[in-house]
Every structure is written in C-alpha cells, then in structure tokens.
Amino acid sequence: MGILEKIAEIEREIGRTQKNKATNYHLGTLKAKLAKYRAQLLEPTGKKGEAGEGFDVMKSGDARVAMIGFPSVGKSTLLSSLTKTESVQADYEFTTLTCIPGVIEHRGANIQLLDLPGIIEGAAQGKGRGRQVIAVARTADLVIMVLDATKKDIHKDLLERELECVGIRLNIRKPDIYFKEKKTGGVSFTATCNLTNMDEKMVRTILHEYKIHNAEVLFREDSTPDEFIDVISGTRIYMPCLYVYNKIDQISLEEVDRLARGEHNVVISCNMKLNLEYLVEVLWEHLDLIRVYTKKPGQPPDFDDGIILRNGVNVTHVCHSIHRTLANDCKYALVWGKSTKFNPQRVGMSHYMADEDVIQVVKK
C-alpha cells in the first residue's frame, strides 16, 4: 500500500470514528500517523531525475509576498496592475507556467510579489506542479490567496486544506508549547494551565507514535492534539494570509458587502481597477513593516532613504542593518519619534523602535 492510500485510509478512519472521551486517544494516534505520512510525502524521493527548469526566484526587496490561487482567477492581471512587470494574461487556464516576480514600491519599501502558476485540487500530492508552487509559498512572508468572487468560498476551503496538508498554517500563531527531546529520563509532562483537550496519557500516546520515549513537554496554554503534533514535527510555518476576492464587478452589491466584511478579506476588480490602492495599504499593515530614518550630527534627517525593518526591532537591529560593525562601536543613540517620551531621547541598544522614528547613532 502506497503512502497516498495509507493517508486516504486514515482520513476515512477519522471520518468514521465518533468523537467522544473514549475515542480521544485513538483519534490522537491516527492524527499523529497522518502527520507522519504527509511529512514523508513532501520529502524528495531518492531517485535522481533529469535537471528540470528552475522554479524558485531569488529573494529580493524588504519582504516577499506569494500569490496563490486556482487557474484563471486573475493573478497575472493583479501582478501587472500592482507592479511594473507584465505577466502574460489570457482567458484560458494555466497561462502562467512558471514563477513571475514583480516589485511593489510602497512607502519607500520594495515588496517582492510572486505570481505563481495556478494550483489544482490535490496539489499537496504533487498534481499540476503543485508541490513546487507550495514550496515557493513556504519561503514567503505573506500569502495572498486570490479567489474568484463568483465561486463563493469553495476555492478558499480547498486551498486552505491543500496548504494545511503541507504544514502551512494561515493567520494563526504558534502554539505556546515547549518541547525538547532528551537522551534519557523518560517523558516529563507539565502544564501551567487547565487542559481540556489533552492529558499526560494523550501526550505519551502521540510521542510513542513518533518513537520518542525521552522528552520534556510543557503546555503554557490549552492546546489540541493537532497543535501538539505540529510542535513535535517542527516543520510547520505560521504566516499571515490575505484573501483577495477578484471579479467583484460580476456579483451583487449584497454579496460584495458580505465578502468585504470577512476577516482578512479584501474585495477588488482587476478588470475595472477597483480597490487596488486599498489592497496595497492592507498588505503593508499585514506585513508589519516599519520605516526608520537616519540622521548625521548637525544635519537634517535623511527622509529620502529610510531603512525598512520588521516591527519589534531595537537599536541593535538598526545598527546591524546600517553596518555589521556599528553595533559594537555604538555608545548610545538619540531617537526622535513615537517610541520616545521626549525628543530627542538618549537610548540604549535595547530600545524598541516605532514606525517613522529618526535615529542618530553616537559612536564610542
């Protein structure tokens, strides 16, 4: 029996099994087996084939955004509308056959936008170059799921399932579970909160399925068996996702209103160029980037060339982005902006920066 048949058999077994206290441990074992087989499916086979055409694109810019969706939903049109890159557009499916990169210039940042080929149902098993598409999506900072507004939420559910199969978790944070494999000492289980979905027996059952007999496990929140399996695997990627509904000019106003009110949803029309500026603004918010401007002593700040960084960076990170040796030579910094109580404020290396702050580094 092949891996695909085993996965299908386990999924049927999970569907057949009633969910109650008595079957909890059995379901936990099945879910652990399912995660293990799916991980095997993603591993490359040992056979060395012919060298194919390269699919991945070199990472550039301040952030990377991947567009995924079913064929003929308007990904190439969206890329051409938002960037200066022209991607081939036509009214038939699979117009795009490889990865096309473009750059969105917004607020001084260069955001790399990737137009990936359309994926079909069963992409996680490798159908229609699906595995390569999803591999590129794993390297992105954010996923834009381009959906056809005329198809309701059918595409969205199918795509989410495909991405979940390959270990991409959308719009959820990493579970607060500490897990460390040891060489001896058995399984040490601790929980700092009341657990409703897990207990020590369930933890040991799942670990046994992974052939782990010595480990330290600490639950800091009430988690499910699926979240614990994700932590053991260690290959899961948690990333933000925007659901972009294209072709809103073909549906009723009531339906547009319903879609627009959904969480992480943006409604657009590439054909009529509707709501594209708002999409870029929402994209900027979800990427959580900040701009920091530098200032030389006795001179005005340089507002033309800002440094683009992730939110939550401190003075050390800013120094590293200017020059790798600057952090060691830095005595203190003067900061103007939203992160300070008064302007300028003398700060140390651990001071956290805010958007549009101005910094002057004073060397030793």
Side-chain angles (χ1 to χ4, degrees):
M1 192 188 276
I3 292 177
L4 286 173
E5 288 84 26
K6 285 178 182 173
I7 287 173
E9 181 60 43
I10 291 169
E11 282 174 343
R12 280 198 296 274
E13 175 74 19
I14 289 172
R16 280 200 303 265
T17 308
Q18 286 186 343
K19 289 169 181 66
N20 55 46
K21 281 185 181 177
T23 60
N24 262 353
Y25 303 112
H26 177 56
L27 283 169
T29 310
L30 289 175
K31 284 172 180 174
K33 276 183 180 170
L34 189 63
K36 215 162 59 171
Y37 285 137
R38 278 179 179 162
Q40 282 176 23
L41 197 66
L42 291 174
E43 285 169 11
T45 49
K47 294 175 191 170
K48 193 177 177 187
E50 293 175 26
E53 185 191 341
F55 196 79
D56 202 358
V57 175
M58 192 175 134
K59 205 166 184 173
S60 68
D62 302 300
R64 183 180 226 190
V65 176
M67 282 195 294
I68 63 163
F70 280 89
S72 212
V73 291
K75 295 186 296 296
S76 300
T77 316
L78 183 59
L79 180 85
S80 304
S81 305
L82 295 178
T83 69
K84 291 170 185 169
T85 308
E86 280 298 319
S87 186
V88 180
Q89 304 149 31
D91 289 334
Y92 53 85
E93 296 190 341
F94 296 107
T95 317
T96 308
L97 295 172
T98 185
C99 182
I100 315 263
V103 177
I104 302 172
E105 292 171 2
H106 184 65
R107 298 194 192 181
N110 290 331
I111 300 164
Q112 187 183 39
L113 187 65
L114 302 179
D115 176 18
L116 297 169
I119 65 175
I120 54 175
E121 202 178 340
Q125 279 87 47
K127 286 185 187 173
R129 295 201 85 177
R131 212 176 282 180
Q132 291 104 310
V133 171
I134 289 168
V136 176
R138 281 175 75 96
T139 65
D141 301 304
L142 180 138
V143 167
I144 287 183
M145 202 180 276
V146 186
L147 303 159
D148 192 333
T150 59
K151 299 270 172 64
K152 301 275 173 128
D153 286 338
I154 306 162
H155 282 183
K156 180 181 172 182
D157 298 337
L158 285 169
L159 282 170
E160 280 183 337
R161 209 173 308 140
E162 292 296 331
L163 292 176
E164 198 168 296
C165 287
V166 294
I168 296 175
R169 304 286 180 261
L170 302 175
N171 294 327
I172 57 170
R173 60 179 185 79
K174 197 174 177 183
D176 197 359
I177 302 169
Y178 172 76
F179 170 77
K180 188 182 181 185
E181 214 174 325
K182 298 189 297 186
K183 290 197 173 130
T184 55
V187 175
S188 151
F189 171 79
T190 324
T192 59
C193 60
N194 189 26
L195 298 180
T196 55
N197 302 304
M198 296 284 289
D199 58 14
E200 190 168 351
K201 187 181 173 186
M202 176 73 87
V203 168
R204 287 179 185 275
T205 307
I206 292 170
L207 289 175
H208 182 72
E209 191 55 49
Y210 276 90
K211 294 184 173 60
I212 297 170
H213 307 293
N214 302 293
E216 200 176 329
V217 180
L218 169 63
F219 280 77
R220 295 194 187 97
E221 64 179 15
D222 187 15
S223 301
T224 61
D226 293 309
E227 289 172 336
F228 181 54
I229 290 165
D230 285 352
V231 171
I232 296 171
S233 302
T235 55
R236 305 296 184 250
I237 291 173
Y238 299 85
M239 62 167 70
C241 174
L242 270 182
Y243 303 105
V244 176
Y245 288 88
N246 188 20
K247 306 182 185 177
I248 57 165
D249 49 314
Q250 298 175 20
I251 58 172
S252 65
L253 270 174
E254 290 80 10
E255 184 65 11
V256 171
D257 187 54
R258 185 188 73 81
L259 291 173
R261 288 176 188 277
E263 200 179 7
H264 309 294
N265 286 8
V266 180
V267 290
I268 61 160
S269 170
C270 291
N271 195 23
M272 298 176 72
K273 301 280 186 285
L274 293 174
N275 222 20
L276 295 178
E277 293 88 0
Y278 176 69
L279 170 60
V280 176
E281 284 297 329
V282 175
L283 185 64
W284 174 267
E285 282 172 28
H286 275 67
L287 283 169
D288 209 16
L289 299 173
I290 63 167
R291 292 157 295 171
V292 176
Y293 301 107
T294 54
K295 179 187 179 302
K296 289 181 181 175
Q299 292 181 20
D302 182 10
F303 288 119
D304 297 327
D305 189 20
I307 304 165
I308 309 295
L309 298 156
R310 291 292 146 113
N311 199 358
V313 296
N314 55 28
V315 175
T316 309
H317 295 112
V318 176
C319 290
H320 279 307
S321 62
I322 297 168
H323 194 272
R324 58 193 170 85
T325 61
L326 187 59
N328 297 328
D329 300 337
C330 177
K331 189 177 180 184
Y332 63 89
L334 293 172
V335 176
W336 292 256
K338 287 184 275 190
S339 67
T340 58
K341 289 179 182 173
F342 45 87
N343 294 323
Q345 184 175 324
R346 178 173 165 164
V347 298
M349 301 301 283
S350 58
H351 174 78
Y352 287 102
M353 308 296 289
D355 191 24
E356 295 191 304
D357 275 3
V358 174
I359 186 169
Q360 178 185 318
V361 177
V362 178
K363 294 169 90 175
K364 289 173 186 170

